[in-house]
Amino acid sequence: TGYRKQGQVWLEADNLCRALFTRGHRPKIAVFPDSFWPLAPVELREAARQVVTVPDALMAGISGLESPAGVGFVWDLPVSRAMTRGESAVVLDRLQDAGNVGSILRSAAALGFNQVLAIKGTAALWSTKVLRAGMGAHFGLQLVEGLEPEDLAELGIPLLVTSSHQGD
């Protein structure tokens, strides 16, 4: 959850980095391993305001992937906004599995939701695992974290609730 203090996230791999600027966002810094820099597509080379090349061994050390990616971005997170009243939302209530959270973000984006609201105890929405599972859906959604269940009353819309642990 260090991203909360820093206000930045580390994005790595071609598909996630491309998803960022496809949605109209620009990273602050692009990082390339020396061996990939000559092969890097122009759109990745020119995506950031600042470009850094690092030795391959260093990229392997900072990478969170089993096989280091050819590119990584440092991106300034958008300023956290409040919930949008009257707008449909997906609410995550203490959902812990990062893969499931990312999958739900992808589904929310695909189904036309604009906001995803996370109640305290939910996996960190901008964590590395959730980012990878979300496959770029983050960049088209308004994400609000750290809510209390009673905060949902401010939405002013009916709630539909599901549970894998309860009946109908």
Side-chain angles (χ1 to χ4, degrees):
T1 59
Y3 67 84
R4 291 181 184 134
K5 291 177 187 166
Q6 298 294 322
Q8 298 176 323
V9 291
W10 170 250
L11 310 170
E12 65 183 311
D14 185 271
N15 61 339
L16 193 55
C17 291
R18 285 178 189 271
L20 178 72
F21 63 81
T22 298
R23 289 288 192 156
H25 303 289
R26 289 192 66 190
K28 183 174 186 175
I29 303 168
V31 181
F32 296 90
D34 290 334
S35 65
F36 184 69
W37 176 246
L39 309 171
V42 173
E43 59 272 13
L44 290 177
R45 287 171 161 247
E46 297 176 353
R49 296 176 282 246
Q50 180 182 356
V51 175
V52 177
T53 60
V54 297
D56 289 22
L58 179 57
M59 189 69 162
I62 60 175
S63 176
L65 302 174
E66 201 170 298
S67 297
V71 61
F73 285 170
V74 176
W75 182 53
D76 291 331
L77 287 171
V79 176
S80 183
R81 297 187 341 214
M83 298 180 295
T84 304
R85 181 175 170 73
E87 187 170 316
S88 61
V90 172
V91 178
L92 304 175
D93 185 2
R94 298 176 293 254
L95 185 60
Q96 288 293 301
D97 184 270
N100 288 345
V101 172
S103 178
I104 290 170
L105 294 180
R106 285 194 326 267
S107 296
L111 293 170
F113 287 87
N114 293 322
Q115 62 182 341
V116 174
L117 313 173
I119 292 176
K120 283 183 184 176
T122 299
L125 298 183
W126 293 99
S127 71
T128 304
K129 289 182 180 180
V130 175
L131 273 165
R132 283 198 304 261
M135 299 174 65
H138 288 71
F139 311 127
L141 295 167
Q142 176 182 329
L143 305 176
V144 182
E145 295 183 287
L147 297 170
E148 296 292 342
E150 52 272 10
D151 294 335
L152 301 179
E154 294 176 28
L155 286 174
I157 58 175
L159 298 177
L160 171 65
V161 180
T162 64
S163 172
S164 60
H165 304 295
Q166 300 293 322
D168 294 341

